[in-house]
Amino acid sequence: MPVDRMRICGPEETRHPLVLELCGRPVRLFQDDGTRLDGRSADQIRPMFMKCGVISHAQGSAYIEMDRTKAICAVYGPREFGKREDFSIKGRLTCEFKFATFSCKIRRQQQQDAEEKEFSQILLQSLSPAVCLHKFPKAQVDIYVMVLENDGSALSAALTCGSLALADAGIEMYDMVVACSVKHYCKSTLMDPSASEESELEPEGTSTEEKPAETGLLTVAYMPSLNQLPGMLQTGEMSIATTKQVNSKRAVDCCVLRVLLKRNLLQFIAVSS
Amino acid sequence: MSSSQKRLCIPGQRLCQTDDDHTPGSGTYSRGSFIYASLAGYVHIRADKDRGSVLEVRGEVERSTVPFVGAIVTAKVTHVNPRYCKCAIFCVEDSVLQESFRGQIRREDVRATEKDRVEMYRCFRPGDLILARVLSLGDMHSYLLTTAENELGVVIAQSEAGVTMIPVSWTEMQCPKTFAKEHRKVARIAPPSDSAVN
């Protein structure tokens, strides 16, 4: 296309001003008394609510709320392979993760974008080792997770919800999967960060100091009975030592999560029988 | 005689040690020297003479299973071909599936006798409800089924007039409206023993 040299043209690309405003605003992590913005201590996870059997058409389903983060999961199957390309003696698992268009601060697309595709892969990677795939040969189990409101730790909510829905569906599993997110910022480690804590931020008063070297978000999936980590996602910059230290902290939380999960599932079975 | 303990468990929960007295059953698995649950439900301990006590975990609702080799399945015939017939499997043993699986019956698996003189169109028609046994997992498209037993074959079929037919022999069914006879591979269904005759 010929360039117009007679006029001074504006830039070809334009950006929404809201995006620039959200990125540049610094937010304080801690209040004056040392607690986080929502009153929790650094090691505290948010109150949770879980319920099974919320979707009547699905084989199994679960709903989870971690304060304001809400996720719902439906499990269908075992049913015939969708794509009949290869014959396999083991079953197959497919996962689909989606943020609802109204769930995040900025409206999401209706189609899965790159982040949701990555989360779907993590879901698949973390839930596959827990399921007894050899019990349903030539069949597949479909897991659909939708995040209704994202106030931080959406992936860990989705993972926990997914494993609860699988148990509700009666799919044989080696172990339950629980997941937890941890945000590491300078020297402080925050468990189960909310959305404002998750985003990149600079604490007040550091304009003259160096930029903090280690900031990162770590989401870990854990199988408590087998003591294995089926999935891990880390964003940001963290040294190996810091990662190890952060990892050990989340172990405690995952055990707590498992207890909650167990209690909820057992209650559901007892009520429905 | 079976004794059951009403104990709840979740997948991954350790139930007991694997030794001569305890064996893992359905809904459980053994790893190392312990038996773990693989389903969420109630733990049942069943006494078995050969294997001591068998631990099983059963959920409160009968969950749908996948067709396995040797299972008796209920299917509906969808396509009939001179070499094979295709069907949609709806039930596996006693449990009804939420979504159907595809099955296939080859010409040589229809009858136990005179396998080479089978005419598919005189055994099955599209729309017939059949009882079959799973021979093998088959290929990627469908399970391989067989009706080569007296108790397997067509259970319910509709005549060309659209009326449910009554079986008159092992190879024929008769329409009660038009009295026309049609050829089918009829299943020998035993009458229920506790019928209201006595």
Coordinates of all heavy atoms in Angstrom, one line a residue, chain A residues 66 97 119 122-123 125-126 152-160 178-184 190 192-193 198 216-222 229-236 238 243 246-247 250 254 257:
Chain A
M66 N -13.6 -20.0 46.0 CA -12.5 -19.7 46.9 C -12.7 -18.2 47.2 O -12.2 -17.4 46.4 CB -11.2 -20.0 46.3 CG -10.9 -21.5 46.3 SD -9.8 -22.1 45.1 CE -8.3 -21.4 45.6
F97 N -10.6 -25.9 29.4 CA -10.6 -24.8 30.4 C -11.1 -23.6 29.7 O -10.6 -23.2 28.6 CB -9.2 -24.6 31.0 CG -9.1 -23.6 32.0 CD1 -9.2 -23.9 33.3 CD2 -9.0 -22.2 31.6 CE1 -9.2 -22.9 34.3 CE2 -8.9 -21.2 32.6 CZ -9.0 -21.5 33.9
F119 N -3.8 -23.5 30.0 CA -4.4 -24.0 31.2 C -5.1 -25.4 31.0 O -5.1 -26.3 31.8 CB -5.4 -23.0 31.8 CG -4.8 -21.8 32.5 CD1 -3.4 -21.7 32.6 CD2 -5.6 -20.9 33.2 CE1 -2.8 -20.6 33.2 CE2 -5.0 -19.8 33.8 CZ -3.6 -19.7 33.9
I122 N -2.4 -27.9 31.1 CA -2.0 -28.1 32.5 C -3.0 -29.0 33.2 O -2.6 -30.0 33.9 CB -1.8 -26.8 33.2 CG1 -0.8 -25.9 32.6 CG2 -1.4 -27.1 34.7 CD1 0.7 -26.3 32.8
L123 N -4.2 -28.8 32.9 CA -5.3 -29.6 33.5 C -5.2 -31.0 33.1 O -5.2 -31.9 33.9 CB -6.7 -29.1 33.1 CG -7.5 -28.2 33.9 CD1 -8.8 -27.8 33.3 CD2 -7.8 -28.8 35.3
Q125 N -2.5 -32.5 31.9 CA -1.3 -33.1 32.4 C -1.4 -33.4 33.9 O -0.8 -34.4 34.3 CB -0.2 -32.0 32.2 CG 1.2 -32.5 32.6 CD 2.1 -31.3 32.7 OE1 1.8 -30.1 32.4 NE2 3.3 -31.5 33.2
S126 N -2.1 -32.7 34.7 CA -2.2 -32.9 36.1 C -3.3 -33.9 36.5 O -3.1 -34.7 37.4 CB -2.6 -31.6 36.8 OG -1.7 -30.6 36.4
G152 N -8.3 -14.5 41.2 CA -7.0 -15.0 41.6 C -7.1 -16.5 41.8 O -8.1 -17.0 42.1
S153 N -6.0 -17.2 41.5 CA -5.9 -18.7 41.7 C -6.9 -19.5 40.9 O -7.5 -20.5 41.4 CB -6.0 -19.1 43.2 OG -5.1 -18.3 44.0
A154 N -7.2 -19.0 39.7 CA -8.3 -19.7 39.0 C -7.9 -21.1 38.6 O -8.7 -22.0 38.6 CB -8.6 -18.9 37.7
L155 N -6.6 -21.2 38.2 CA -6.1 -22.6 37.8 C -6.2 -23.6 38.9 O -6.6 -24.7 38.7 CB -4.7 -22.4 37.2 CG -4.1 -23.7 36.7 CD1 -4.9 -24.3 35.6 CD2 -2.7 -23.5 36.2
S156 N -5.8 -23.2 40.1 CA -5.8 -24.1 41.2 C -7.3 -24.5 41.6 O -7.6 -25.6 41.9 CB -5.1 -23.7 42.4 OG -5.0 -22.3 42.5
A157 N -8.2 -23.5 41.5 CA -9.6 -23.8 41.7 C -10.1 -24.8 40.7 O -10.8 -25.8 41.0 CB -10.4 -22.5 41.6
A158 N -9.7 -24.6 39.4 CA -10.1 -25.5 38.3 C -9.6 -26.9 38.5 O -10.3 -27.9 38.3 CB -9.6 -24.9 37.0
L159 N -8.3 -27.0 39.0 CA -7.8 -28.4 39.2 C -8.5 -29.1 40.3 O -8.8 -30.3 40.1 CB -6.3 -28.2 39.5 CG -5.3 -28.1 38.3 CD1 -4.0 -27.5 38.8 CD2 -5.2 -29.4 37.6
T160 N -8.7 -28.4 41.4 CA -9.4 -29.1 42.5 C -10.8 -29.4 42.2 O -11.3 -30.5 42.5 CB -9.4 -28.1 43.7 OG1 -8.1 -27.6 43.9 CG2 -9.8 -28.8 45.0
V178 N -5.2 -32.1 44.4 CA -5.5 -30.8 45.0 C -4.5 -29.8 44.5 O -3.4 -30.2 44.2 CB -5.6 -30.8 46.5 CG1 -6.8 -31.5 47.0 CG2 -4.3 -31.4 47.1
A179 N -4.9 -28.5 44.3 CA -3.9 -27.6 43.8 C -3.9 -26.3 44.6 O -4.9 -25.9 45.2 CB -4.3 -27.2 42.3
C180 N -2.8 -25.6 44.6 CA -2.7 -24.4 45.4 C -1.8 -23.4 44.6 O -0.8 -23.9 43.9 CB -2.0 -24.8 46.7 SG -2.2 -23.6 47.9
S181 N -2.0 -22.1 44.8 CA -1.2 -21.1 44.1 C -0.4 -20.3 45.2 O -1.0 -20.1 46.3 CB -2.1 -20.1 43.4 OG -2.6 -20.7 42.3
V182 N 0.8 -20.0 44.8 CA 1.6 -19.2 45.8 C 2.2 -18.0 45.0 O 2.7 -18.3 43.9 CB 2.7 -20.1 46.4 CG1 3.5 -19.3 47.4 CG2 2.1 -21.3 47.1
K183 N 2.2 -16.9 45.6 CA 2.8 -15.7 44.9 C 4.1 -15.3 45.7 O 4.0 -15.1 46.9 CB 1.9 -14.5 44.9 CG 2.4 -13.2 44.4 CD 2.4 -13.0 43.0 CE 3.0 -11.7 42.6 NZ 3.0 -11.5 41.2
H184 N 5.2 -15.3 45.1 CA 6.4 -14.9 45.8 C 6.8 -13.5 45.3 O 6.8 -13.2 44.1 CB 7.5 -15.8 45.4 CG 8.8 -15.5 46.1 ND1 9.0 -15.9 47.5 CD2 9.9 -14.8 45.7 CE1 10.2 -15.4 47.8 NE2 10.8 -14.8 46.8
L190 N 3.1 -15.2 49.5 CA 1.6 -15.1 49.8 C 0.9 -16.4 49.3 O 1.0 -16.7 48.1 CB 1.0 -13.9 49.0 CG 1.7 -12.6 49.3 CD1 1.1 -11.5 48.4 CD2 1.6 -12.2 50.8
D192 N -2.3 -18.5 48.1 CA -3.6 -18.3 47.5 C -3.9 -16.8 47.2 O -4.7 -16.1 47.8 CB -4.7 -18.8 48.5 CG -6.1 -19.0 47.8 OD1 -6.1 -19.0 46.6 OD2 -7.1 -19.1 48.6
P193 N -3.1 -16.3 46.2 CA -3.2 -14.8 46.0 C -4.6 -14.5 45.3 O -5.1 -15.2 44.5 CB -2.1 -14.5 45.0 CG -1.8 -15.8 44.4 CD -2.1 -16.9 45.4
E198 N -2.1 -11.1 42.4 CA -1.4 -11.9 41.3 C -0.7 -11.1 40.3 O 0.3 -11.5 39.7 CB -2.5 -12.8 40.6 CG -2.5 -14.2 40.9 CD -3.5 -15.0 40.1 OE1 -4.0 -14.5 39.2 OE2 -3.7 -16.2 40.5
G216 N 7.2 -14.0 41.3 CA 6.7 -15.1 40.5 C 5.4 -15.7 41.1 O 5.1 -15.5 42.3
L217 N 4.7 -16.4 40.3 CA 3.5 -17.1 40.7 C 3.7 -18.5 40.4 O 4.1 -18.9 39.3 CB 2.3 -16.5 39.9 CG 0.9 -17.1 40.2 CD1 0.5 -16.6 41.6 CD2 -0.1 -16.7 39.2
L218 N 3.5 -19.4 41.4 CA 3.6 -20.8 41.3 C 2.3 -21.5 41.6 O 1.7 -21.3 42.6 CB 4.7 -21.3 42.2 CG 5.1 -22.7 42.3 CD1 5.8 -23.1 41.0 CD2 6.0 -23.0 43.4
T219 N 1.8 -22.3 40.6 CA 0.6 -23.1 40.9 C 1.1 -24.5 40.8 O 1.7 -25.0 39.9 CB -0.4 -22.8 39.8 OG1 -0.7 -21.5 39.8 CG2 -1.7 -23.6 40.1
V220 N 0.7 -25.3 41.9 CA 1.2 -26.6 42.0 C 0.0 -27.6 42.2 O -0.9 -27.3 43.0 CB 2.2 -26.8 43.2 CG1 2.6 -28.2 43.3 CG2 3.4 -25.9 43.0
A221 N 0.0 -28.7 41.5 CA -1.1 -29.7 41.7 C -0.4 -30.8 42.5 O 0.8 -31.1 42.2 CB -1.6 -30.2 40.4
Y222 N -1.1 -31.4 43.4 CA -0.5 -32.4 44.3 C -1.4 -33.5 44.6 O -2.7 -33.3 44.7 CB -0.2 -31.6 45.6 CG 0.4 -32.4 46.7 CD1 1.6 -33.1 46.5 CD2 -0.2 -32.6 48.0 CE1 2.2 -33.9 47.6 CE2 0.4 -33.3 49.0 CZ 1.6 -33.9 48.8 OH 2.1 -34.7 49.8
L229 N 3.7 -34.9 42.5 CA 3.3 -33.6 41.9 C 3.0 -33.8 40.4 O 3.9 -33.9 39.6 CB 4.4 -32.6 41.9 CG 4.8 -32.0 43.2 CD1 5.9 -30.9 43.0 CD2 3.7 -31.4 44.0
P230 N 1.7 -34.0 40.0 CA 1.4 -34.2 38.6 C 1.6 -33.0 37.7 O 1.8 -33.1 36.5 CB 0.0 -34.7 38.6 CG -0.6 -34.2 39.8 CD 0.5 -34.0 40.8
G231 N 1.5 -31.8 38.3 CA 1.5 -30.6 37.5 C 2.0 -29.4 38.2 O 1.8 -29.2 39.4
M232 N 2.7 -28.5 37.5 CA 3.3 -27.3 38.1 C 3.4 -26.2 37.0 O 3.8 -26.5 35.9 CB 4.7 -27.7 38.6 CG 5.3 -26.7 39.5 SD 6.5 -27.6 40.5 CE 7.8 -26.4 40.6
L233 N 3.0 -25.0 37.4 CA 3.1 -23.9 36.4 C 3.7 -22.8 37.1 O 3.2 -22.3 38.2 CB 1.7 -23.6 35.9 CG 1.7 -22.5 34.8 CD1 2.3 -22.9 33.6 CD2 0.3 -22.0 34.5
Q234 N 4.8 -22.2 36.6 CA 5.4 -21.1 37.2 C 5.6 -20.0 36.2 O 6.0 -20.2 35.1 CB 6.8 -21.5 37.8 CG 7.4 -20.5 38.6 CD 8.9 -20.4 38.5 OE1 9.5 -21.5 38.6 NE2 9.4 -19.3 38.3
T235 N 5.2 -18.8 36.6 CA 5.4 -17.6 35.8 C 6.2 -16.7 36.6 O 6.2 -16.6 37.8 CB 4.1 -16.9 35.4 OG1 3.4 -16.7 36.6 CG2 3.2 -17.8 34.5
G236 N 7.0 -15.9 35.9 CA 7.8 -14.9 36.6 C 9.3 -15.4 36.7 O 9.7 -16.3 36.0
M238 N 12.1 -16.8 39.4 CA 12.4 -17.2 40.7 C 13.6 -18.2 40.6 O 13.6 -19.0 39.8 CB 11.2 -18.0 41.3 CG 10.1 -17.1 41.8 SD 8.5 -17.9 41.9 CE 8.7 -19.2 43.0
T243 N 12.1 -21.4 44.7 CA 11.1 -22.2 44.2 C 10.9 -23.4 45.2 O 9.8 -23.8 45.5 CB 11.4 -22.8 42.8 OG1 11.8 -21.7 42.0 CG2 10.2 -23.4 42.2
V246 N 9.3 -22.2 48.4 CA 7.9 -21.8 48.2 C 7.0 -23.1 48.0 O 5.9 -23.2 48.5 CB 7.7 -21.0 46.9 CG1 6.4 -21.0 46.3 CG2 8.2 -19.5 47.2
N247 N 7.6 -24.1 47.4 CA 7.0 -25.4 47.1 C 6.6 -26.1 48.4 O 5.6 -26.7 48.6 CB 7.9 -26.2 46.3 CG 7.1 -27.2 45.5 OD1 6.0 -27.0 45.2 ND2 7.8 -28.2 45.0
R250 N 3.5 -24.7 50.1 CA 2.2 -25.1 49.6 C 1.8 -26.5 50.0 O 0.6 -26.8 49.9 CB 2.2 -24.9 48.0 CG 3.2 -25.7 47.3 CD 2.7 -27.1 46.8 NE 3.8 -28.0 46.7 CZ 3.8 -29.2 47.2 NH1 2.7 -29.7 47.8 NH2 4.8 -30.0 47.1
C254 N -2.0 -27.8 50.7 CA -2.6 -28.9 49.9 C -3.2 -29.9 50.8 O -4.3 -30.5 50.5 CB -1.6 -29.5 48.9 SG -1.4 -28.4 47.5
L257 N -6.4 -28.6 52.0 CA -7.4 -28.7 50.9 C -8.0 -30.1 50.8 O -9.1 -30.2 50.6 CB -6.7 -28.3 49.6 CG -6.7 -26.9 49.1 CD1 -5.9 -26.7 47.9 CD2 -8.2 -26.5 48.9

